[in-house]
Amino acid sequence: MIYLDWAATAPVDPESLAVAADSYSTHTRNPSAIYQSGQAVSMHLLNNRIELAKALHCQADQIVFCSTATEANNIVITSFLNHTPAEIITSPLEHDSVYQPLQKLKQLGWKVIEAPIDLEGRIDVEKIPDIINKNTVAFFAMDVCNETGTVQPIQEIGMLLEKINRERDRRIHFHSDMVQALGKKEIDLQKMKVDSASFSAHKIGAIRGAAMLYLKKAISPLYGGGGQEKGIRSGTENVGAIDSFIFSSLKTIRQLQENQTHFLSLKRELIEGIVSLKKKAEIHLLPTEDPTRLLHSDFFSPHLLQIAIPPLPSEVLVRLFDSKGVEISGGSACASNSKKKMKRVSEAMQYDKRIAESTLRISFGNSTTSDEIKKLLQIIEESILDLAKKF
Ligand code: PLP
């Protein structure tokens, strides 16, 4: 099988799995226990936390470990329920783990406003001051979009909000979902001026069951418990999964340049192949047909490409590719209601209906090869395009 759905989940890196296995057998005690072996686990966690903080340019006590990025996003969003309803700004492309809890807030009387985006899915920073008012308390904008690969101008938004916040009594909290950004672009939490950010282990080759919430300043969570992770995420720490997450984070940050070059070369090969297929049949590069834009890492992540092969529906395309030995996504595979989500994102991107219904997401990882891209292009040329013509 050729696996080209790394944005959904990355196969576990054997090295990271070994780190987890070693950790589970070495650090067997609860880190909250006060006897020496428990405290040794707590110390081990602290030392690792310090290493991760250095790599992400933050402080160790600004890191909260949790189990999934969905949980991390929810902790931040639900914390606003401690306040009287006000206004929140978000991007229309957010992952369901941000979009859905914001819908809940809406039902509870909050106003949720979508920031205007351009045809590449990027938030128009200049228009942000027009949608902020005295009731605005938070801004949620993902860094790299898991559907389109669009890179948002997080640092520019962060700097703008910092400036606006200087003149306000009530600060606007800036949260960014950086799940698809870690290991694909540079992350400097201090420079990016976010108040909080989320990351997930299973997107970077670590074992599942760990994630991270960066919090510049502590917030008051809606739920409570044993008070672990400074009371922000109560529940016994999954030390083995956290160790695997930290190992994979440090590895992917260390290998960033090498991986970016690799992804970009695969993406270039894929785009060139699709451009040449366009002469024979209908196939689209999304969200723009301009290869130079798509290959510019400031605008689009190098690990992901969205395409469309109308009039074949995404679901049919995914099954066809699967039957030919290629696993790709018709959208956000980790979302159970991915069809609805695809529709929401496609509408925000203003794709026409034919294209919206036939989108595919191809995403690579560090072990993806040029031969796999060639095979994918061959399958598109020899099997898929003919079917699309007859459909
Ligand atoms: N945010 C983005 C951008 C994602 O792509 C995903 C998973 O696909 C998530 C959040 C959710 O991550 P997790 O599976 O750790 O809850």
Side-chain angles (χ1 to χ4, degrees), residues 326-380:
V326 181
E327 289 166 328
I328 50 180
S329 167
S332 175
C334 55
S336 55
N337 56 352
S338 66
K339 255 191 178 165
K340 259 200 231 151
K341 159 103 200 280
M342 274 165 61
K343 189 162 177 285
R344 169 167 69 79
V345 170
S346 298
E347 276 173 8
M349 296 298 293
Q350 300 180 43
Y351 292 161
D352 78 46
K353 195 165 173 282
R354 260 181 99 252
I355 291 190
E357 285 174 356
S358 73
T359 56
L360 288 175
R361 178 187 71 185
I362 301 159
S363 52
F364 338 111
N366 44 7
S367 62
T368 307
T369 63
S370 161
D371 280 349
E372 290 177 320
I373 300 299
K374 286 189 181 72
K375 186 86 180 73
L376 169 73
L377 287 165
Q378 190 189 350
I379 291 168
I380 297 177

Side-chain angles (χ1 to χ4, degrees), residues 79-87 105 108-110 135 137 170:
S79 75
F80 284 95
L81 291 173
N82 289 309
H83 308 281
T84 49
E87 288 192 25
L105 258 64
L108 294 168
W110 286 70
N135 292 325
V137 292
R170 196 169 182 182

